[in-house]
Amino acid sequence: MLRKLHSVPGLIAAIMLTIMALSGTVLSINPAVERARAPALAGGALDVATLAARVNAQYPSLDKIVRRPSGEIVAYYGSGGESRASRIDPSTGAGIGPYAPSPTMRWVTNLHRKLLLGDAGRIAAGVAASFMLLLGISGLALLARRMGGWRHLAGRIRGSGLQRVHNEIARIALIGLTLSAATGLMMSLTTFGILPERQTAELAYPDYVSVQAPLPVARLAALKAVDVTALRELAFPAPQNPHDVYALTTSKGTGYIDPSSGAWLAWQNADAWQRVHETVLMLHTGEGIWWLGLLLGVESASIPVLAVSGIWLWALRRRAMPKLPNNVGARRADTVILVGSESNATWGFATAIHQALTKANFQVHTASMNDLSPHYGAAQRLIVLTSTYGDGDAPSNATQFLPKLARMNAPAQMQFAVLGFGDRQFPSFCGFARTVHDALCAKGMSPLTDLGMVDRQSESEFRQWAGRLGAALDVEIEPQYQPTLPRTIALELIERKDYGAGAETFTSVLRFARPRKADSAWQRLMGARLPAFEAGDLIGIVPPGDTVPRFYSLASASRDGFVEICVRRHPHGLCSGYLTSLQPGDSIDAFIRTNPGFKPAAHAGPLILVGAGTGIGPFVGFIRQNATKRPMHLYFGARRSGDSFLYDEELHRFVATRQLTTLTTALTSPVEKTYVQDRLLRDAVVLRALVARGARVMVCGSRDMARGVAAVWERILAGSGITVGDLKLRGSYVEDVY
């Protein structure tokens, strides 16, 4: 529901909000420009009487003086039978140039306030402001939910590149945009009288005015008591009308002054609504706070980006979500399936279970885990299929499941089953699924079957679990699983280099590019373009005859113009055998998956890179991009130097160019085995000093190697008060293991 509250108004109002945002960005420059051109007051404080006398001496036919929110003084006067306006230097009262609002800015103002459509446009602008307010509030709530709660709002944002761009911009801009929307809506409501501008009636003109000779304006006591900084407007009495008076408006209120005595004839303090209205105007336009205007303008400029990326994400989400026929309402369902997924892969398995149970005459409702309802009317069983994010955390669409479960009134008869998805090589394999299983047990529900766990989207393991679920329900379940994969791109092998001759050492470095041949003009135009990626990101490849993608770390960035991976041929390895058999000119279909947790940090601190075998891949990419000669220390475990040493020549060239500070190798052979752990222990003193200086440790390779390296680092850090766990918590020790 919250997502609909965010996406529907955004889709409806995207064009209108973009127009208003861009025009608002242009208008936001005005306060800063006016502030910059307003002359400074020489000599400190200045009262209104003195200012009026100085200006009146320069312009005898003066009508009024206005002090704009920027501090700029403008005099309105008659000259040659025409009304004129000049900008004033308050130190002398002399004019410094004509005051004439820009026709362009006036047009932009009308576009922003009423879309050039009069009152109908004002109504539309008010509606757009209300949509923006709803988008801001719902967007903040969605972001907080995605981050795991309001207290984590400043944490690292996860997801695809487009999701991170949208959410990073939103996190910075939404507070300011919500402020602009709220103040804009209040101004719109005030324009149409729904909200009042003031609580009290307007000040009545005085009944009695002295007709004695007027005093010079410099001697008017009421004006001498008002500082120029409080001035809003001073209107002079008309010379031909002996009963006319001075009308003064300040930040504190409005009053009339007798020209003959200089005394107040009437005064009315600004009421609460007037002060609120003035504050709202200031917060919306930035007039009077020029830096706020510029800040709001920058944030307004983000709306087109948020609109385009939001619509794009909505379209991608709509395309990625499976079509679920016969998805009954939550209150009518006897079986509820909830899905937790970071990349939508789990939805394919959930769809198969949904269709199989529906075919078996169950009334099934399927939704995201975040959509857990506190009440299910007829539900007798709850089935949860979830992946795990990071170190046992919830995926993005399941971050609210556990808090909602704690508040849920679970029916006593409700049973449950949990199926987790993950990778057995990671310590937190199906960690979140375990947490959910335990939480459901603690809620008093009884399990239909033991916790199921699927390794790397194994279809056979999924079918085995489905069989156990069917046995518990006393029905036969035959799920028709169709894997959900991202859209792939075609890549052509352009170069390969092979290392090692034996079956156990044969490894290939493969370079791919977009195909040179294309079927259409559009493909020929766009064919050479690669999607954006960095070294350390992942490429997913589904080998022929299988449905499960294999992931390889990228040794290149998109700006290199090619996709490079290291592949070691494994015995009976379906994908590694497929890739290492390719020849230049052969093509594959693949997709890119970002890996934001495994990137060199932005600061210039040293990097300690520890890898073995094909784990060298992303490190080569990092070193290639090290144009600033950031200190990088590589510890690399490999076979004996020669035809089995990956990137041998390139690594030594990096050392010569200082792109790589040190290269330390651990070479093994059938006779002698040396591991990177041994080299790390040998350099323990130096490494400990590097960590004390803020170095970041990055490990890439097999799971067993990574465990051994972590154990060695514990020994290196012993007695320092720092552990590997501490480094991981602050992002100074990261792993990419397989």
Side-chain angles (χ1 to χ4, degrees):
M1 184 62 181
L2 182 60
R3 190 177 293 280
K4 288 183 179 179
L5 282 174
H6 185 70
S7 58
V8 173
L11 291 170
I12 294 173
I15 296 176
M16 193 185 313
L17 287 174
T18 298
I19 293 172
M20 295 181 66
L22 293 178
S23 58
T25 300
V26 174
L27 292 174
S28 70
I29 302 171
N30 254 357
V33 172
E34 290 185 355
R35 175 63 180 266
R37 73 181 186 184
L41 176 64
L46 178 67
D47 62 76
V48 174
T50 303
L51 172 67
R54 291 174 180 175
V55 177
N56 200 22
Q58 300 289 334
Y59 302 99
S61 56
L62 188 61
D63 294 325
K64 64 180 178 181
I65 299 172
V66 174
R67 183 180 184 272
R68 295 181 55 76
S70 62
E72 186 177 45
I73 305 296
V74 180
Y76 293 84
Y77 57 94
S79 176
E82 295 183 357
S83 295
R84 299 181 183 276
S86 292
R87 296 164 42 237
I88 300 297
D89 182 352
S91 300
T92 63
I96 55 175
Y99 175 77
S102 165
T104 301
M105 297 305 291
R106 187 183 296 115
W107 183 88
V108 174
T109 300
N110 288 331
L111 177 65
H112 182 73
R113 292 179 178 175
K114 51 188 177 182
L115 302 173
L116 308 178
L117 297 174
D119 284 346
R122 291 182 186 275
I123 294 173
V127 171
S130 64
F131 277 12
M132 186 65 242
L133 182 60
L134 181 59
L135 285 168
I137 295 172
S138 59
L140 283 172
L142 276 172
L143 184 58
R145 189 171 79 176
R146 181 176 181 83
M147 300 293 291
W150 292 99
R151 61 179 178 171
H152 302 298
L153 201 57
R156 183 173 65 86
I157 291 177
R158 63 199 190 196
S160 69
L162 185 62
Q163 286 173 323
R164 291 202 310 278
V165 168
H166 185 82
N167 289 326
E168 287 285 8
I169 294 175
R171 180 164 59 179
I172 296 170
L174 272 180
I175 294 178
L177 294 177
T178 301
L179 174 64
S180 292
T183 51
L185 180 58
M186 290 184 66
M187 292 170 62
S188 181
L189 294 175
T190 301
T191 298
F192 290 100
I194 299 173
L195 289 179
E197 283 193 43
R198 63 176 71 229
Q199 292 173 316
T200 57
E202 292 190 14
L203 180 63
Y205 194 81
D207 295 330
Y208 171 78
V209 179
S210 172
V211 292
Q212 297 177 7
L215 293 172
V217 67
R219 294 175 54 191
L220 298 178
L223 294 181
K224 290 178 70 67
V226 179
D227 191 85
V228 165
T229 56
L231 175 65
R232 296 291 182 269
E233 180 180 306
L234 174 63
F236 280 62
Q240 66 275 18
N241 184 359
H243 297 285
D244 205 357
V245 297
Y246 288 94
L248 177 67
T249 301
T250 72
S251 58
K252 297 181 179 179
T254 302
Y256 296 114
I257 301 170
D258 191 323
S260 300
S261 65
W264 290 105
L265 295 172
W267 173 258
Q268 184 179 70
N269 286 319
D271 61 33
W273 271 113
Q274 286 177 281
R275 289 193 292 271
V276 167
H277 182 72
E278 188 172 288
T279 302
V280 165
L281 181 64
M282 177 183 65
L283 292 175
H284 187 77
T285 63
E287 292 184 348
I289 313 179
W290 63 271
W291 56 266
L292 176 62
L294 290 179
L295 181 61
L296 293 176
V298 171
E299 293 183 340
S300 292
S302 70
I303 287 182
V305 180
L306 290 173
V308 171
S309 59
I311 292 173
W312 197 344
L313 285 171
W314 174 83
L316 291 175
R317 190 163 50 247
R318 294 277 296 183
R319 188 176 64 194
M321 289 294 289
K323 303 298 184 290
L324 288 170
N326 304 312
N327 192 20
V328 304
R331 292 189 175 276
R332 294 194 299 111
D334 56 39
T335 303
V336 175
I337 300 176
L338 296 179
V339 185
S341 179
E342 187 70 29
S343 60
N344 288 328
T346 309
W347 280 99
F349 295 97
T351 300
I353 292 295
H354 176 99
Q355 292 172 341
L357 290 176
T358 298
K359 186 177 180 180
N361 296 320
F362 288 88
Q363 298 295 305
V364 187
H365 172 75
T366 300
S368 296
M369 290 180 70
N370 276 340
D371 294 329
L372 175 70
S373 172
H375 304 285
Y376 288 110
Q380 302 173 26
R381 60 198 64 84
L382 176 66
I383 300 173
V384 179
L385 291 82
T386 183
S387 62
T388 295
Y389 180 82
D391 191 19
D393 296 330
S396 58
N397 71 334
T399 54
Q400 296 302 301
F401 176 81
L402 292 176
K404 287 187 174 183
L405 179 64
R407 300 190 297 269
M408 177 183 176
N409 295 320
Q413 77 280 4
M414 182 173 279
Q415 297 177 295
F416 75 91
V418 177
L419 178 62
F421 295 84
D423 188 329
R424 289 189 185 277
Q425 298 184 67
F426 290 87
S428 57
F429 172 60
C430 294
F432 182 65
R434 296 174 189 270
T435 301
V436 170
H437 186 276
D438 294 342
L440 291 171
C441 287
K443 197 67 177 176
M445 301 184 197
S446 58
L448 284 162
T449 183
D450 293 337
L451 170 66
M453 291 181 284
V454 173
D455 181 32
R456 288 175 289 185
Q457 301 182 34
S458 168
E459 188 173 351
S460 62
E461 291 181 359
F462 168 66
R463 290 187 180 279
Q464 291 172 13
W465 176 85
R468 295 197 300 273
L469 177 65
L473 297 175
D474 197 24
V475 296
E476 186 174 349
I477 298 179
E478 296 182 0
Q480 302 299 312
Y481 169 63
Q482 293 293 328
T484 303
L485 296 175
R487 179 174 291 179
T488 60
I489 59 171
L491 295 173
E492 180 181 309
L493 183 64
I494 58 172
E495 183 181 342
R496 64 176 292 162
K497 185 173 183 180
D498 299 328
Y499 297 84
E504 294 184 0
T505 62
F506 185 77
T507 303
S508 296
V509 174
L510 306 176
R511 281 188 179 181
F512 297 89
R514 294 305 301 268
R516 286 163 288 191
K517 296 180 180 179
D519 297 330
S520 67
W522 174 253
Q523 289 176 328
R524 285 192 293 274
L525 177 65
M526 302 299 291
R529 299 186 60 180
L530 290 167
F533 61 86
E534 297 289 339
D537 284 338
L538 306 174
I539 184 170
I541 301 167
V542 180
D546 201 3
T547 59
V548 180
R550 300 341 187 241
F551 291 96
Y552 297 88
S553 295
L554 289 168
S556 61
S558 53
R559 56 182 167 273
D560 294 325
F562 54 82
V563 175
E564 181 171 303
I565 56 175
C566 301
V567 183
R568 179 184 173 188
R569 181 185 292 167
H570 293 275
H572 312 296
L574 184 61
C575 196
S576 64
Y578 163 63
L579 290 173
T580 54
S581 68
L582 296 173
Q583 297 300 318
D586 292 341
S587 294
I588 63 171
D589 291 324
F591 59 90
I592 301 296
R593 177 172 291 177
T594 58
N595 189 18
F598 198 73
K599 295 286 190 301
H603 62 76
L607 287 180
I608 303 171
L609 311 175
V610 185
T614 56
I616 188 70
F619 295 154
V620 169
F622 299 159
I623 300 166
R624 283 175 181 161
Q625 303 299 327
N626 187 26
T628 61
K629 311 296 176 64
R630 176 182 184 174
M632 291 188 177
H633 306 272
L634 175 62
Y635 288 79
F636 177 41
R639 298 282 175 177
R640 281 291 177 190
S641 58
D643 65 351
S644 297
F645 193 98
L646 297 175
Y647 295 104
D648 189 2
E649 295 180 0
E650 192 170 4
L651 288 174
H652 286 92
R653 186 168 67 250
F654 288 149
V655 173
T657 60
R658 304 304 298 166
Q659 287 175 265
L660 179 60
T661 309
T662 61
L663 170 62
T664 304
T665 57
L667 303 177
T668 65
S669 71
V671 177
E672 179 185 0
K673 293 187 181 296
T674 306
Y675 300 102
V676 288
Q677 295 94 310
D678 303 320
R679 299 306 189 207
L680 292 170
L681 278 176
R682 186 190 65 183
D683 297 343
V685 175
V686 174
L687 294 173
R688 185 165 164 164
L690 286 172
V691 170
R693 286 165 42 201
R696 191 175 198 227
V697 182
M698 306 185 74
V699 182
C700 187
S702 71
R703 171 59 60 181
D704 290 339
M705 183 276 292
R707 288 197 192 99
V709 168
V712 165
W713 271 104
E714 292 288 9
R715 294 172 61 184
I716 293 172
L717 297 171
S720 67
I722 303 173
T723 66
V724 171
D726 296 332
L727 293 178
K728 286 183 176 181
L729 283 175
R730 66 191 192 200
S732 296
Y733 191 107
V734 294
E735 298 173 318
D736 185 12
V737 295
Y738 45 85

